[in-house]
Amino acid sequence: MKIVSRDRWFEVAHCYDRISLISEPYVRPFYRCNLWHVQGRDKDVLIDSGSGLVSLREQLPWLTQRPLLAVASHTHFDHIAGHHEFPERLVHPAEADILASPTGDNTLASDFVTDDMFEAHPDCPLCYAEYRVKAAPATRLIDEGDVLDLGDRALEVLHTPGHSPGGISLWEATTGTLFSGDIIYDGPLVENTYHSNLEDYAKSLARLRVLPVRTVHGGHFPSFSGERMRELIDDWFKAHD
């Protein structure tokens, strides 16, 4: 396995409107979580925190120069393993127990953290049996209709279960921007985890389809348009008839 230095582990792409994508380029695309950094006047939001193999705070110190809310779109290992580094940690009540007491099984790490996941390891070869997601108990629970007020912009919490029971999306109505986590992205959706629910999945997708979405920033793969989102949702329903 190729070894890379820790200072090369993250890439940052500044998108637009004070939204940036942080990614781990040596994690293969199917497993690579999108970390969305959204800047506001008074505070910022970090949606998901990646694999935890390399410290976000050490390599990207600017993340904590301003007040930051670390939000978990859901609690699978690839989305929460860096959460312990941040003092303000937000999650839906249905998955608060996982964030507080993560295991290889309840975060899916036991199923997915293998050679298949990586193009390279940071610093030295990983021992997969020793991989752990550190506990990061929530400092705030967020649910349907809650608003994350950043001063000059607001993100509304949408409870979108299906992929997992506590899955959430964040909706910025003023710009038509949806941060969708893993309920919808432009790639193969995972709907067969131990706590996935197809009935919930269908309800969440039907709800998102009618929103006036212009841009979707998902939990994996590249961002896409609202028109593409509606196409993906229609295709999902056709495949599940």
Side-chain angles (χ1 to χ4, degrees):
M1 181 69 69
K2 179 182 175 181
I3 304 299
V4 298
S5 59
R6 299 170 77 85
D7 62 356
R8 295 174 56 200
W9 190 252
F10 297 108
E11 285 185 351
V12 180
H14 301 290
C15 302
Y16 64 93
D17 196 24
R18 294 171 293 157
I19 297 171
S20 298
L21 170 61
I22 302 168
S23 61
E24 299 173 275
Y26 296 102
V27 176
R28 290 190 171 119
F30 177 76
Y31 307 91
R32 186 186 305 152
C33 174
N34 292 332
L35 287 60
W36 295 105
H37 180 236
V38 184
Q39 293 178 282
R41 184 191 65 212
D42 300 334
K43 63 182 65 173
D44 299 347
V45 162
L46 179 67
I47 305 165
D48 296 331
S49 60
S51 72
L53 290 174
V54 173
S55 169
L56 283 160
R57 292 189 63 151
E58 288 179 6
Q59 297 304 322
L60 306 176
W62 47 267
L63 271 177
T64 51
Q65 289 175 351
R66 306 175 72 245
L68 178 78
L69 305 176
V71 177
S73 70
H74 61 295
T75 57
H76 293 158
F77 76 98
D78 50 326
H79 294 259
I80 62 161
H83 263 61
H84 67 279
E85 294 196 289
F86 303 99
E88 294 191 74
R89 302 176 296 272
L90 287 62
V91 70
H92 188 274
E95 294 184 34
D97 57 334
I98 301 176
L99 196 64
S101 300
T103 68
D105 290 335
N106 67 16
T107 65
L108 302 184
S110 296
D111 295 330
F112 290 105
V113 181
T114 67
D115 275 352
D116 290 341
M117 183 172 162
F118 298 101
E119 298 284 356
H121 289 165
D123 285 354
C124 61
L126 296 175
C127 174
Y128 298 127
E130 295 178 357
Y131 177 83
R132 296 287 185 276
V133 178
K134 294 182 180 180
T139 58
R140 176 180 168 189
L141 300 179
I142 50 175
D143 205 341
E144 177 68 33
D146 288 343
V147 174
L148 308 184
D149 184 357
L150 308 187
D152 60 345
R153 65 195 311 173
L155 302 175
E156 180 184 354
V157 177
L158 309 180
H159 182 208
T160 48
H163 177 71
S164 67
I168 64 159
S169 302
L170 296 180
W171 169 235
E172 187 173 48
T174 57
T175 61
T177 302
L178 180 72
F179 298 92
S180 62
D182 278 8
I183 194 66
I184 186 74
Y185 48 77
D186 199 351
L189 299 179
V190 177
E191 55 193 34
N192 60 350
T193 75
Y194 74 96
H195 56 185
S196 297
N197 182 293
L198 284 180
E199 183 176 341
D200 287 343
Y201 223 117
K203 290 177 181 176
S204 293
L205 291 180
R207 177 193 187 186
L208 294 179
R209 196 193 184 292
V210 300
L211 286 178
V213 174
R214 296 177 60 190
T215 304
V216 182
H217 299 307
H220 299 271
F221 299 104
S223 300
F224 51 99
S225 68
E227 181 180 2
R228 176 62 176 158
M229 180 195 76
R230 289 179 278 277
E231 178 182 311
L232 290 168
I233 292 173
D234 289 346
D235 289 345
W236 188 93
F237 278 105
K238 290 175 184 175
H240 291 78
D241 278 344

